[in-house]
Amino acid sequence: MRVGIGYDSHKLTEGRMFILGGVEIPSEKGLEGHSDGDALCHAIIDAILGAIGEGDIGKHFPDTDLRYKGVSSLLLLTEIVKLAQKKGFEIIWVDTVIIAEKPKLSNHIDMMKEKISSSGISQDIISIKAKTNEGMGFVGKGEGIAVLATCLLRMRKRK
Ligand code: MG
């Protein structure tokens, strides 16, 4: 068994879409980033990479690489799920916490799970929770959002 932890934060800015877990959510401000800014996918990617000992998201998808400009982070997550499988790991469980003052996210969680399932992490092995930061800090002031993710992986028996 292996566990991994991931963290990501993105700045909220005008003129960007708010995409989280592959879902476009109506919001005054969106998430800044080289890719689509999907901090949930990024945190899950780092949790998986941590568990398989493969560094972090920046090593695999550098933000200096034009190939990843504006790319859907679901595609990046799909690549990392494939990498874990290739290394002989099976994902058992992914748990996440999104910390955002707004927009309200609870109504979008089921759709996020559905979108994320396209990466190979099925809906019944992912948990997504959303909370605010009670008005405190950069999240509370609406300057950005933060996401935490953990995952549990099991190495398949070798023949
Ligand atoms: Mg990120």
Side-chain angles (χ1 to χ4, degrees):
M1 293 283 196
R2 296 273 191 92
V3 292
I5 180 169
Y7 169 81
D8 198 24
S9 57
H10 278 246
K11 208 183 264 183
L12 282 164
T13 185
E14 268 160 33
R16 289 272 302 184
M17 287 196 292
F18 189 103
I19 296 172
L20 217 47
V23 181
E24 197 187 318
I25 296 164
S27 170
E28 284 167 34
K29 291 180 176 179
L31 296 170
E32 210 169 278
H34 181 67
S35 63
D36 59 359
D38 190 332
L40 176 59
C41 285
H42 297 176
I44 297 170
I45 286 171
D46 266 355
I48 295 170
L49 287 172
I52 67 174
E54 284 287 343
D56 63 20
I57 189 169
K59 177 186 159 189
H60 293 265
F61 310 111
D63 62 8
T64 48
D65 193 329
L66 286 176
R67 277 180 302 166
Y68 305 121
K69 192 165 162 51
V71 74
S72 164
S73 297
L74 284 173
L75 297 176
L76 308 182
L77 179 59
T78 304
E79 278 196 39
I80 297 306
V81 170
K82 276 190 200 146
L83 175 66
Q85 287 165 347
K86 210 175 97 189
K87 290 195 78 178
F89 289 98
E90 178 192 356
I91 298 171
I92 305 296
W93 190 256
V94 174
D95 188 21
T96 64
V97 187
I98 304 161
I99 312 158
E101 217 62 25
K102 55 181 188 179
K104 196 164 163 45
L105 299 171
S106 51
N107 296 336
H108 301 281
I109 285 175
D110 286 346
M111 186 55 82
M112 289 182 200
K113 288 184 183 180
E114 198 177 318
K115 290 273 186 183
I116 287 170
S117 71
S118 71
S119 72
I121 302 172
S122 66
Q123 293 181 51
D124 54 346
I125 58 162
I126 181 162
S127 151
I128 301 171
K129 307 182 294 297
K131 61 189 299 161
T132 72
N133 215 34
E134 304 281 338
M136 296 179 288
F138 73 89
V139 171
K141 293 191 189 92
E143 292 168 7
I145 71 157
V147 183
L148 294 160
T150 61
C151 69
L152 179 67
L153 272 63
R154 171 168 61 200
M155 185 165 272
R156 289 195 213 92
K157 285 209 176 79
R158 290 173 210 242
K159 284 174 192 150

